[in-house]
Amino acid sequence: MQESIENILPEEVVEAAAVNEELSAPDNSVPAEVSPDEQPSEPAPKPAKKPLVKKFDLYIIKKFIGTFFFIILMLLLVIVMFDINEKLDAMLLAPLNETVFKYFMNFLPYFINQFAPMFVFITVIFFTSKLADRCEITAILSSGISFNRLAVPYMVSATFIAMGTLLLSLYIIPPANVKRIEYTNQWVNNKRVDYGDNVQLQMRPGVMFHMERYDNTTKHGYHISIEEFKGNELVSRITAQGAVYDTLGRWKLSDYAHRKFDGLKETMTTGTTMDTMLNFDPKDFLISKNDQETLTSPELRRYITEQKERGVANIQQFEIEYEKRFAMTAAAFILTIIGFSLSSRKVRGGTGVNIMIGIVLSFSYILFMQVTQTFAQNGYTSSRVAMWIPNFLFTIIAIVLYKKASR
């Protein structure tokens, strides 16, 4: 009978039963003694690595970026309505495709970039006040997260936005401003400068250029003189009744007289026309309003250097624009700290009070920057100092508020 059962059972089951019998049989052998030094030691468990980015970091960054773009969208709708109402007559005359693609598609990024620090500030005030009102910040701090650690995702988000706006202001927005300004000059209000009187500049060290009048519509200049000095001594003087600037960037003089001086000796050459290679063009002395906004930052830096070498005085707007692009980028970090410090605690009056404080402070920052910009235009201070004074002042405010909030 046993054989028949074993023949029916599979081989694996039989083998498993045999193994179980061996394990269940009593072991009469005496185990060898093991010294304490020879006993195997279990490895100590490795401490778990803390993740660099925590869930609350991603949560705050998501809230920050999402609220930032939401506020921009809401404010842009209002701005577009006011802008259309202000320029309605011009927009009815202009072709629709130019209004949409040449003006608004370039105006909206320009506006966003100009007021990005203010948008960042309102964003921080808005969503942080809601977090504090729902006691979410209190819960995060109660879990052992320090106030300084809580500020990290705010600064990371501000860094993303600041780097984006800096890239836009340095390289992308200026070429777009060319089309926007062309549209406004053609259909809204022409602020382009087409005439210049008493143009005087230094072509290179020791060589002075003077032109009584220039008409950019015809590219003609009148009553030209070019004088070359060695030290205090005049060695050459060219006078001409007229000059024409051609498309190749050359100046052609007409009815000219060229005098050379060698001590008391003078030689003169006259002629009808003379081709020259003067190293400047009309845009170097015909400076229109908002021209500084059409140059990328490398072009702006190069233009400022060249104009200073030529002795041109009215370049304050270009210097202000250059410094402003970097100062406004730094303002995003400063205003983020102020907004975080103000709205991280639950206050009476709820979110509305914090938002009102944020709007007042953001507009006071912009107003203060306009005031210091006027100081630079009037020559009371340099452009760099004027553009960074608001940042220095608001940095002090940010430090005071942050220390107060972290207690």
Side-chain angles (χ1 to χ4, degrees), residues 168-210:
L168 287 172
S169 62
L170 294 186
Y171 301 103
I172 299 175
I173 298 296
N177 284 339
V178 175
K179 297 179 180 180
R180 177 181 62 85
I181 293 173
E182 284 179 356
Y183 178 91
T184 55
N185 286 340
Q186 182 177 359
W187 300 104
V188 182
N189 186 13
N190 187 8
K191 296 182 180 180
R192 184 176 58 246
V193 176
D194 290 324
Y195 301 95
D197 295 320
N198 293 322
V199 177
Q200 184 170 340
L201 50 86
Q202 181 177 254
M203 295 166 47
R204 60 179 185 271
V207 180
M208 302 300 299
F209 174 87
H210 180 267

Side-chain angles (χ1 to χ4, degrees), residues 22 112 119 161 192 199 221 241 263-264 274 277 286 289 322 343 359 361:
E22 292 179 0
I112 293 172
F119 293 151
I161 296 174
R192 184 176 58 246
V199 177
Q241 294 299 313
L264 298 177
M274 174 190 288
M277 296 296 292
L286 295 179
K289 186 177 181 180
Y322 183 82
S343 55
I359 292 175
L361 279 175

Side-chain angles (χ1 to χ4, degrees), residues 305-323:
T305 302
E306 291 175 352
Q307 295 300 84
K308 285 183 176 180
E309 292 175 352
R310 290 168 178 162
V312 178
N314 55 341
I315 59 171
Q316 288 85 3
Q317 289 293 343
F318 294 86
E319 294 178 320
I320 290 172
E321 176 67 20
Y322 183 82
E323 298 296 338

